Amino acid sequence: MIQPLRSELTRYLRAETVGGAILLVAAAVALIWANSPVGESYFSVRDTVVGISALHLELSIGAWAQDGLLAVFFFVAGLELKRELVVGELADRKKALLPIIAAGGGVVVPAAIAFAIGFGAPGMDRGWAIPVATDIAFALAVLAMTGSRIPTGARVFLLSLAVVDDLLAIGLIAILFTASIAMLWLCASALTFAGYAYAQHRRITTPFLYVPLALFAWYAVHESGIHATIAGVALGLLTRVRKDRGEAEAPATRLEHRIQPFSAGFCVPVFALFASGVPLNSDVLGELFTNRVSLAVIAGLLIGKTIGIFGISWLAIRTGIATRPANLFNRDMFALSVLGAIGFTVSLLVAELAMADVGDGTSLEIAKAAVLITSLAASLIGSALLLRRGRVHGARRDDERDGVLE
């Protein structure tokens, strides 16, 4: 009786609606806890240092969630991207072109807006990267809950878009937040990645090889000075996605089924728990709509993402460079573009990295509050637009069915 229960739990955790809901609950708990009478305990737990001093791994619990647990999330993202590139929608060049172009617009325009508004503000020399990424779990959860009547091409477009712009965001993290590189550790990580790829090529399947390789790869990247989450996406991209003859499923599919529930049900929510605890005091609330850091993040996400994704998509479709997904219209694309403004996980990560050493921490709190409120606004606006578009598509299908019956 235990196995069916476990399988059912795994199936539910794998669904975007549940993963997104858990993420939202974790963020809400963090906000309530941090602003409650026992709020000091939140920051005490988050800043408690644990680890192994001999390995230079004495990190706070919040840092472990950021560097360690998010590496699992990025591993799943890497698996998803590799699968889409090799056997999924992105394998077809014509189908792949639109989400790739849209992701590019959804990175460049928000970054440009954030840079222009926040230029000269503390931390904005790198903080302009805060609004560049779309939160996969959160955005897909909103789409699943409110866009059930929208054609399935919408989910494929949004998933492909989010995966590609997360990859671009990961590249920015590697470039912007690497102060110095320890070449020996970088070489060690490269050799570990090569060993992982060779094991995949030789069709080795035992976790007794892959788990130590993955752990050492994470450690080597961490010690090299590059953000440790890069190890996750690199290993995901090196995993085989085509199944051999006689093989039930490819390693990437098998790993995604096993790890995605852990990532969605534990890793990302725990990160959100320790990243979303912003003290909403008078200082933060008073500056939320006047401080240039928060204005840069809000405008970059809500305006920049929507304009960047929809504008470049419309232009690519209009000029014939790419084609729109089947049965989707401009208003559908606009609603999906608004969902692209849900930054959350990666945006909070970039805010932590960009603002951690600025002043007394107020800039970090303001930036994170801006990410949270903008992601919430984008989810509400996007939901309203999707519900309206769902009614339009439903009415159109009813008319077509009535026409056939007549």
Side-chain angles (χ1 to χ4, degrees):
M1 296 298 293
I2 296 176
Q3 187 60 37
L5 180 61
R6 181 179 296 176
S7 298
E8 190 70 9
L9 176 62
T10 299
R11 185 176 71 83
Y12 273 105
L13 284 177
R14 201 173 288 133
E16 290 90 355
T17 50
V18 177
I22 296 173
L23 182 65
L24 287 175
V25 169
V29 169
L31 284 171
I32 294 169
W33 186 5
N35 292 280
S36 71
V38 294
E40 286 300 320
S41 64
Y42 171 85
F43 299 101
S44 177
V45 171
R46 187 195 66 183
D47 298 334
T48 298
V49 175
V50 294
I52 306 170
S53 57
L55 296 177
H56 305 104
L57 286 178
E58 292 180 297
L59 305 175
S60 67
I61 291 177
W64 276 113
Q66 180 189 114
D67 290 3
L69 295 182
L70 274 195
V72 179
F73 164 76
F74 280 119
F75 176 67
V76 174
L79 292 173
E80 187 78 43
L81 177 61
K82 178 73 175 289
R83 184 172 60 79
E84 289 295 320
L85 286 169
V86 178
V87 297
E89 289 293 322
L90 297 181
D92 185 318
R93 287 187 180 181
K94 197 158 188 177
K95 289 182 179 179
L97 202 53
L98 184 61
I100 290 174
I101 291 173
V107 168
V108 173
V109 177
I113 289 176
F115 180 81
I117 294 175
F119 183 76
M124 288 306 292
D125 55 328
R126 296 182 296 177
W128 53 263
I130 295 172
V132 301
T134 298
D135 189 283
I136 298 174
F138 199 162
L140 289 177
V142 173
L143 178 61
M145 288 186 284
T146 60
S148 58
R149 304 179 76 183
I150 302 292
T152 55
R155 185 189 183 280
V156 174
F157 172 77
L158 186 61
L159 173 63
S160 303
L161 162 73
V163 168
V164 173
D165 86 352
D166 269 5
L167 182 65
L168 295 174
I170 291 165
L172 286 175
I173 290 171
I175 295 168
L176 294 175
F177 303 105
T178 301
S180 60
I181 297 178
M183 291 306 298
L184 287 178
W185 281 113
L186 187 63
C187 291
S189 63
L191 288 173
T192 309
F193 292 140
Y196 181 95
Y198 181 73
Q200 285 287 298
H201 176 71
R202 298 293 298 174
R203 299 325 193 239
I204 298 172
T205 59
T206 175
F208 294 107
L209 172 64
Y210 288 115
V211 172
L213 275 176
L215 290 174
F216 184 76
W218 178 89
Y219 178 69
V221 172
H222 181 272
E223 291 297 295
S224 72
I226 299 174
H227 199 267
T229 52
I230 304 300
V233 73
L235 292 172
L237 290 172
L238 291 172
T239 304
R240 184 165 57 89
V241 296
R242 294 187 187 275
K243 66 178 183 179
D244 293 333
R245 183 178 299 176
E247 196 173 27
E249 54 186 358
T253 305
R254 184 169 61 252
L255 286 169
E256 193 172 352
H257 286 173
R258 291 178 179 177
I259 298 174
Q260 187 180 11
F262 176 65
S263 172
F266 180 75
C267 296
V268 176
V270 170
F271 167 76
L273 177 66
F274 291 113
S276 305
V278 180
L280 299 177
N281 51 44
S282 57
D283 291 336
V284 173
L285 293 176
E287 293 190 48
L288 192 57
F289 297 104
T290 57
N291 185 285
R292 283 200 294 142
V293 171
S294 61
L295 290 176
V297 173
I298 292 170
L301 275 173
L302 199 55
I303 299 173
K305 273 288 186 184
T306 304
I307 292 176
I309 295 171
F310 179 74
I312 198 70
S313 298
W314 180 86
L315 191 61
I317 295 167
R318 185 84 173 180
T319 56
I321 296 174
T323 56
R324 190 166 46 216
N327 300 317
L328 290 183
F329 301 94
N330 282 335
R331 293 184 182 182
D332 301 318
M333 299 295 291
F334 183 80
L336 294 172
S337 300
V338 174
L339 291 190
I342 301 175
F344 212 78
T345 305
V346 179
S347 293
L348 288 173
L349 172 61
V350 177
E352 291 267 7
L353 296 174
M355 301 291 177
D357 299 325
V358 177
D360 58 358
T362 303
S363 293
L364 173 58
E365 293 169 359
I366 290 172
K368 288 164 68 172
V371 170
L372 294 173
I373 195 170
T374 308
S375 296
L376 178 61
S379 65
L380 293 174
I381 297 170
S383 295
L385 293 172
L386 285 170
L387 288 170
R388 181 176 177 80
R389 293 304 301 163
R391 287 193 293 270
V392 172
H393 282 282
R396 181 176 285 109
R397 283 192 290 268
D398 290 341
D399 290 344
E400 291 174 354
R401 185 169 57 250
D402 293 340
V404 171
L405 290 175
E406 291 174 3

